[in-house]
Amino acid sequence: MKTYEARREQALAAFHGGVAIIPSATTIPRNNDTEYEFRQNSDFYYLTGFDEPDAVLVLAPEHDEHRTILFLRERDRATEIWNGRRLGVDAAVETIGVDIAYPIGSLAQELPRYLCNVETLYYTLGNSENDACVRAALGDARAMTRRAGFAPDTIADPSPALHALRQIKSAHEIAQMRRSAEITAQGHIAAMRATRPGLHEYEIEAVLEYEFHRAGAQRTAYESIVAGGDNATILHYRENRDRLAEGTLLLVDAACEYNYYAADVTRTWPVNGRFSAEQRAIYDVVLAAQQAAIETLRPGQPQKAFHYAAVRVITEGLIELGLLRGSVDEAIERETYREYYMHGTGHWLGMDVHDVGRYRDLSDTPVTLEPGMVTTVEPGVYVQRDAACDERFRGIGVRIEDDLLITESGSENLTAMIPKSIDELEAIIGTCELEFSGQRVSSGAI
């Protein structure tokens, strides 16, 4: 509770002179009589640690009596028998640590008084039901202050202030991310050991996600990408239905979410446990690019610096392999490398897998790295089957991705324990014995 109280104090300071309204996530119908898995809104959870839908947090820094107000569902015995226990209004103050709690049904009635005598309402428009309630409350506050006082004349987005807080991770947050990285490592290592020709992508996906859940992760951080052969050249491949063929590579981009904190990891390895000469050549280029990018990560460096480092190494490697022509500087200036490397080298990581935080400041200058930021580093090379190049390289896709914490003196690789050197990978692929499709396969031990 202390963690969330401290965060609310920071947020209250950020919203000085105004009132912030932060709604929870809601349940979403999936199809007839079922719903998508509920996952709390990250901003709301960051400030409350409360994991129920249909709630609203109000932060009122200027209010004389209540600065933190929570609206939430009441207890309902009949509903709870069907759908699970609720915290309820009576327990909310002690459990969450807010100043006062109200039933969610009284939001329209109670909200106007918290909007009196403040200049700015911080609220993100977009949910029609919430929007209507907030507009009505704002109208009521203006009516209440017509003869004396004032109501907000400005509606502003609370996200910039909240996301600036979220971008720098605390010791508590880093601990959650370390555990998420550890669990993700278990999944990747198990998947490597299980891989062999003839299995399906979905069987490797099952191994990964079993390990995530077995180790206590609540969910995957995103849909797992398990892409064999040519599928590895599709950046967001998600079908995971094909059979793994002899002589191909398997690209796995998968990670867990633990206590609302995500990992994000990609590894690429040979299905049969041995890289071909062409696969090895591409892999070496990508690994060298990642290492060059990681070496640039330190406080004070522009956020884009590690991308430029990776681009240069990849471009040099592609020219050496004959996939690009001309000089390195020419290829970078003309961006011809983008035929094979078309995405950025990393993104912020935290409660969201593509986490909040600016990449460029208000003057359009790249932000500089600070201790407590966490970024992925994920260069790749993707040679499409129809690429105009040596056919030996066609259909090869390689990406290598790790999670890097910016420290006072440089960076720390949170996912360094996951094998990625060629020797490490060739030593581990296919070394477990598991039952797939009703047949026990392979030799070795887990």
Side-chain angles (χ1 to χ4, degrees):
M1 186 168 73
K2 298 284 186 188
T3 295
Y4 301 103
E5 287 178 346
R7 291 174 182 173
R8 289 196 293 272
E9 286 298 320
Q10 289 181 299
L12 285 163
F15 297 127
H16 177 73
V19 168
I21 300 174
I22 315 294
S24 73
T26 60
T27 55
I28 301 174
R30 181 179 182 271
N31 52 16
N32 188 38
D33 207 29
T34 64
E35 297 167 343
Y36 286 102
E37 177 189 8
F38 177 76
R39 201 274 189 187
Q40 187 60 277
N41 173 275
S42 293
D43 286 342
F44 182 88
Y45 192 86
Y46 180 80
L47 294 171
T48 64
F50 185 49
D51 201 17
E52 289 187 20
D54 304 324
V56 173
L57 175 69
V58 176
L59 299 176
E62 314 307 322
H63 197 269
D64 293 335
E65 190 177 2
H66 308 137
R67 298 196 308 151
T68 56
I69 306 100
L70 183 65
F71 294 84
L72 70 163
R73 300 178 304 179
E74 295 184 88
R75 297 292 306 274
D76 183 323
R77 185 175 183 274
T79 302
E80 290 179 53
I81 289 172
W82 285 92
N83 296 327
R85 297 181 181 87
R86 299 176 176 181
L87 177 64
V89 175
D90 293 342
V93 171
E94 182 177 356
T95 303
I96 308 297
V98 292
D99 293 334
I100 194 168
Y102 297 104
I104 188 63
S106 67
L107 179 64
Q109 175 185 339
E110 301 291 345
L111 185 57
R113 65 191 182 100
Y114 294 107
L115 300 182
C116 293
N117 300 317
V118 294
E119 297 175 353
T120 305
L121 169 60
Y122 293 93
Y123 172 72
T124 302
L125 296 164
N127 179 294
S128 58
E129 185 174 344
N130 289 337
D131 292 353
C133 182
V134 170
R135 282 197 300 270
L138 186 57
D140 289 345
R142 287 171 176 165
M144 292 165 64
T145 57
R146 188 171 298 147
R147 295 183 180 276
F150 56 93
D153 58 8
T154 301
I155 299 178
D157 185 359
S159 299
L162 287 178
H163 295 174
L165 297 177
R166 284 178 52 190
Q167 189 166 24
I168 306 298
K169 273 52 179 182
S170 66
H172 170 80
E173 292 178 286
I174 291 167
Q176 309 310 308
M177 296 189 75
R178 287 189 195 283
R179 183 56 184 152
S180 184
E182 291 168 358
I183 295 172
T184 296
Q186 292 175 219
H188 274 263
I189 290 169
M192 291 171 185
R193 289 175 168 170
T195 299
R196 56 191 47 84
L199 297 182
H200 290 86
E201 294 164 339
Y202 57 77
E203 293 178 284
I204 302 303
E205 179 184 20
V207 171
L208 279 161
E209 296 186 5
Y210 166 76
E211 289 295 330
F212 295 165
H213 290 294
R214 189 181 70 86
Q218 291 86 356
R219 56 183 68 86
T220 59
Y222 49 94
E223 287 185 83
S224 298
I225 297 171
V226 183
D230 291 10
N231 295 334
T233 67
I234 302 170
L235 300 186
H236 290 161
Y237 174 78
R238 292 191 179 94
E239 283 80 0
N240 299 352
R241 304 305 299 171
D242 287 355
R243 190 179 293 276
L244 302 180
E246 174 72 32
T248 62
L249 293 179
L250 176 62
L251 185 154
V252 173
D253 187 341
C256 76
E257 182 182 289
Y258 178 78
N259 288 351
Y260 276 88
Y261 285 86
D264 187 1
V265 172
T266 307
R267 290 291 186 267
T268 309
W269 60 83
V271 169
N272 65 8
R274 290 292 178 268
F275 286 88
S276 71
E278 292 74 25
Q279 292 166 352
R280 178 184 289 262
I282 296 290
Y283 192 92
D284 282 341
V285 169
V286 176
L287 184 58
Q290 194 202 37
Q291 290 169 338
I294 290 173
E295 287 170 5
T296 73
L297 295 177
R298 56 185 179 275
Q301 278 286 95
Q303 186 273 339
K304 290 291 286 184
F306 73 92
H307 173 66
Y308 297 141
V311 165
R312 178 159 290 274
V313 173
I314 284 176
T315 303
E316 291 170 349
L318 293 174
I319 290 172
E320 286 183 20
L321 294 176
L323 293 170
L324 289 178
R325 295 180 180 178
S327 71
V328 173
D329 289 341
E330 202 173 61
I332 291 174
E333 182 179 357
R334 296 171 54 198
E335 295 190 335
T336 56
Y337 66 85
R338 290 181 65 85
E339 169 66 22
Y340 303 104
Y341 180 38
M342 61 291 295
H343 60 77
T345 305
H347 54 78
W348 302 129
L349 183 68
M351 296 186 77
D352 302 332
V353 69
H354 281 240
D355 205 32
V356 297
R358 298 187 66 92
Y359 291 91
R360 305 184 77 86
D361 64 22
L362 297 178
S363 64
D364 201 34
T365 301
V367 301
T368 55
L369 299 176
E370 299 179 41
M373 292 178 170
V374 182
T375 182
T376 65
V377 180
E378 50 178 308
V381 169
Y382 315 89
V383 187
Q384 303 300 321
R385 181 57 64 183
D386 61 356
C389 68
D390 188 330
E391 65 179 4
R392 295 176 302 159
F393 293 103
R394 293 175 187 166
I396 294 176
V398 174
R399 183 166 62 252
I400 306 171
E401 178 181 20
D402 283 292
D403 304 340
L404 279 295
L405 167 68
I406 307 304
T407 65
E408 295 291 341
S409 58
S411 67
E412 177 190 348
N413 189 342
L414 300 177
T415 50
M417 73 289 284
I418 307 175
K420 65 180 175 183
S421 75
I422 285 178
D423 287 346
E424 288 176 315
L425 292 171
E426 290 188 340
I428 196 173
I429 304 306
T431 58
C432 80
E433 183 176 287
L434 292 174
E435 187 171 291
F436 292 99
S437 302
Q439 296 182 347
R440 188 163 291 277
V441 292
S442 188
S443 60
I446 296 175

